[in-house]
């Protein structure tokens, strides 16, 4: 059948199982938006207040549904407004397809109004990107984009379509019902170098890895976001329990192992627990699963696990020996590798090693239990949110102190319930992500933990939350400062608080009222428990304005560049 490029986009999205897209219209993408209007019974469009939020929403949708997230924007500034969201998805390996529409092909390269080389701009922050200059290539390109986004180590792909291509007509051959075209694309391209081929370790390699694990007396697992991407949480639990190996987690891996499990030591690194940091420092084997040894985890690379064998399991060979020299590795899908390792790993008790771990778990800062009459204790705040929201709730954050407190104190019990910007550290990420998660998971609740500094960057999205009546509860951690930066200014810049104090509004209640969003204030622990309970039970968009002391710190804290066992506890 003959259809135009805009309808081809719709047909290809439907083939790929897309039911929702996030975006913002503009002149050069109008043809696609007209097609969305005509096909509103097949694809839902969520209009955000800003294109960046559309990218973050697609990202949050992808991280929690297991599907590829889709966002759309017009040319020029519309496309560039997606860039931060695309980069965030790239750093955290999230499968997103971004569709932009450029000026007509005959106007490219002429500094045309709202023209930009968005494929050039996004080249370093996408798995791959395309500009489609012939409508005959459009269907194949979109199908290829989805295959690339979700294959191997996931990541974002951008497809830029000039306006005249969206209007041009050509023959379109739909795929067989239920087929996304992946098999045909791979079959036609024996050298499909844009798709990461997943390696499969040999039986000998698996046996050697099992032998290394079985010989260790003080092993510890360092679990990263790759465990989540591989859906290997159940395999990790069975593996850790059989071999009795404690499990430390990166920020991106905070929800891959049940927080209440005796083997869980929670987060490792700059703001990691004493048990995780000392466990890695004193171990004789660090088994890294789907983690990239971020600088925020390893501190001084020469002192990180200096007495241990470091064994790395990851789907991406580029991560092996990138930040830390390893003593061995397995490259492949973590879920499949753990399934093969499990029968070969010996059942152990490790009483002495686990006793040490348990002793380190008891070493916590005194500030954890401090109760003040005029502010809310962060630990109490996060534990109260969990008590009321329960294990099924999704938790998103912005970036800053509140993010680290969430990672430190929230007892995540279920997989894929924690969504945050890890690699890029994007202030402004969480509100958009929360919207995408709530749209993609309408039967579950989303709690968004947002610092007042970050929330200033995206509070315009309250109009989106209100318009679609998304029952997101925003816990506004209001300490009147850019808290994380203030701490560094206090420690390393002799308390010169240069432009980090936020004592100039807005009035958050008036803002909530303006958008038709619920509001309640909490000035101490007792008020917070009542306020959050009221907001959560309301079942509609709500802000819980939570007063936290301006000088509250994130503790423990390892000094940047120092060994991670050298932690400030007070």
């Amino acid at each position: 059948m003959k259809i135009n490029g805009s309808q081809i986009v719709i047909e290809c999205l439907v083939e790929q199982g897309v039911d929702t897209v996030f975006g913002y219209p503009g002149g050069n993408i109008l043809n696609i938006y007209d097609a969305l209007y005509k096909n509103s019974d097949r694809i839902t469009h969520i209009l955000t207040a800003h294109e960046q939020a559309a990218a973050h929403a697609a990202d949050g949708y992808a991280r929690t549904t297991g599907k590829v997230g889709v966002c759309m924007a017009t040319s020029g500034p519309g496309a560039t407004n997606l860039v931060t969201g695309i980069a965030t998805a790239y750093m955290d390996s999230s499968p997103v397809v971004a569709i932009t529409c450029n000026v007509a092909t005959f106007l490219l390269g002429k500094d045309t109004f709202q023209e930009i080389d968005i494929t050039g701009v996004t080249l370093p922050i996408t798995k791959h990107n395309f500009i489609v200059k012939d409508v005959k290539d459009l269907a194949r390109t979109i199908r290829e984009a989805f295959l690339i986004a979700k294959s191997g180590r996931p990541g974002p792909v951008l497809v830029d379509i000039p306006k005249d291509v969206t209007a041009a007509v050509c023959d379109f051959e739909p795929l067989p019902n239920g087929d996304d075209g992946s098999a045909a694309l791979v079959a036609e391209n024996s050298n499909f170098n844009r798709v990461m081929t997943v390696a499969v370790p040999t039986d000998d390699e698996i046996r050697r890895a099992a032998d290394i694990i079985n010989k260790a007396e003080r092993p510890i697992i360092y679990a990263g976001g790759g465990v989540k991407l591989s859906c290997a949480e159940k395999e990790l639990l069975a593996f850790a329990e059989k071999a009795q190996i404690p499990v430390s987690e990166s920020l991106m891996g905070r929800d891959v192992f049940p927080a209440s499990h005796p083997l869980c030591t929670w987060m490792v690194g700059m703001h990691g627990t004493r048990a995780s940091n000392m466990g890695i420092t004193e171990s004789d084997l660090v088994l890294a699963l789907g983690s990239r040894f971020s600088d925020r985890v390893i501190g001084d690379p020469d002192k990180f696990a200096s007495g241990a064998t470091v064994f790395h399991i990851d789907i991406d060979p580029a991560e092996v020996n990138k930040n830390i020299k390893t003593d061995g590795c397995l490259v492949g899908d973590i879920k499949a590798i753990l399934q093969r390792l499990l029968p070969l790993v010996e059942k152990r008790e490790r009483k002495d090693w686990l006793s040490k771990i348990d002793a380190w778990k008891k070493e916590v800062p005194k500030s954890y239990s401090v109760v003040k009459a005029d502010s809310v204790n962060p630990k109490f705040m996060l534990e109260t949110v969990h008590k009321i929201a329960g294990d099924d709730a999704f938790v998103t954050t912005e970036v800053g102190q509140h993010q680290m407190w969430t990672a430190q104190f929230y007892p995540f019990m279920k997989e894929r319930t924690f969504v945050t910007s890890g690699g890029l550290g994007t202030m402004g990420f969480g509100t958009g992500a929360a919207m995408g998660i709530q749209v993609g998971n309408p039967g579950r609740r989303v709690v968004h933990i947002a610092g007042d500094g970050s929330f200033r960057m995206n509070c315009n999205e309250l109009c989106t939350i209100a318009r679609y009546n998304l029952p997101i509860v925003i816990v506004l951690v209001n300490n009147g400062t850019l808290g994380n930066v203030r701490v560094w200014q206090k420690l390393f810049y002799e308390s010169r608080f240069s432009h980090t104090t936020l004592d100039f509004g807005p009035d958050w209640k008036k803002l909530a009222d303006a958008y038709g969003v619920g509001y309640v204030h909490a000035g101490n622990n007792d008020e917070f428990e009542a306020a959050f309970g009221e907001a959560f039970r309301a079942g509609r968009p709500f802000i819980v304005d939570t007063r936290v002391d301006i000088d509250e710190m994130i503790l423990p804290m390892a000094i940047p560049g120092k060994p991670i066992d050298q932690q400030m506890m007070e």
Side-chain angles (χ1 to χ4, degrees), residues 361-382:
K361 284 183 180 181
K362 296 173 184 176
E363 296 182 26
V364 297
K366 293 178 182 177
S367 60
Y368 283 11
S369 57
V370 171
V371 177
K372 299 178 182 178
D374 58 352
S375 65
V376 178
N377 179 282
K379 185 172 185 288
F380 176 86
M381 174 182 69
L382 274 309

Side-chain angles (χ1 to χ4, degrees), residues 70-105:
V70 180
C71 57
M72 293 182 171
T74 195
S75 63
T80 58
N81 282 345
L82 292 178
V83 167
T84 298
I86 293 170
T88 302
Y90 182 75
M91 291 291 282
D92 290 345
S93 303
S94 186
V96 171
V97 170
I99 296 174
T100 56
C101 285
N102 218 320
V103 300
T105 52

Side-chain angles (χ1 to χ4, degrees), residues 83-304:
V83 167
T84 298
I86 293 170
T88 302
Y90 182 75
M91 291 291 282
D92 290 345
S93 303
S94 186
V96 171
V97 170
I99 296 174
T100 56
C101 285
N102 218 320
V103 300
T105 52
F106 61 89
L107 294 173
L108 290 170
K110 298 181 179 180
D111 293 333
T112 305
F113 176 68
Q114 290 194 335
E115 177 200 358
I116 196 163
D117 177 11
I118 194 62
T119 54
V121 170
T122 59
L123 185 63
I125 55 168
T126 51
K127 274 189 80 175
H128 193 70
N129 62 28
F130 304 86
I131 181 166
V132 185
K133 296 183 180 181
D134 188 331
V135 69
K136 295 175 184 174
D137 299 327
L138 183 55
R140 176 184 175 80
T141 300
I142 292 174
R143 292 163 181 163
E144 193 171 325
F146 275 82
L147 176 57
I148 293 170
K150 64 189 178 184
S151 65
R153 180 179 181 173
V157 178
L158 180 133
V159 180
D160 192 34
I161 314 168
K163 187 172 184 179
D164 56 327
V165 175
T166 66
V169 174
C170 76
D171 286 319
F172 172 76
E173 186 68 35
L175 294 172
N177 191 33
D179 181 11
D180 66 2
S182 297
L185 283 170
V186 174
E188 291 174 19
N189 294 268
S190 57
N191 296 316
F192 206 171
N193 57 7
R194 293 170 185 162
V195 178
M196 180 187 294
T197 302
V198 178
V200 178
T202 66
D203 289 342
D204 283 344
E205 289 174 323
I206 294 289
R207 280 193 292 268
R208 284 196 293 270
D211 188 53
I212 290 171
I213 295 165
N214 290 334
K215 288 179 179 177
E217 295 297 327
R218 303 183 310 281
I220 189 167
I221 291 169
Y222 160 36
V227 175
K228 188 188 310 187
L229 294 172
S230 181
C231 299
E233 293 90 350
K234 289 181 175 59
E235 286 75 11
L236 172 58
L237 179 61
F239 180 88
E241 287 185 333
K242 181 179 181 182
Q244 286 295 286
I245 302 177
V247 179
S248 66
E249 301 161 321
S250 71
L251 175 66
M252 297 303 296
R254 268 294 289 113
D255 54 353
V256 301
F257 199 79
S260 65
H261 197 287
L263 290 172
C264 187
T265 63
W266 295 43
M267 191 167 67
V268 63
M270 180 180 289
H271 295 298
T273 63
R274 193 73 176 149
S276 288
N277 285 17
M278 289 304 299
I280 281 184
T281 302
E282 296 294 326
S283 69
D284 63 358
L285 171 66
V286 174
L287 184 60
L289 305 178
S291 48
R292 59 188 181 85
F293 295 96
S294 160
D295 59 299
R296 290 295 178 101
V297 166
I298 64 176
D300 182 349
D302 294 329
K303 301 290 177 60
F304 180 82

Side-chain angles (χ1 to χ4, degrees), residues 23 38 59 178 227 407 420 457 473:
K38 295 172 183 175
D59 189 348
V227 175
T420 193
M457 296 187 175
V473 178

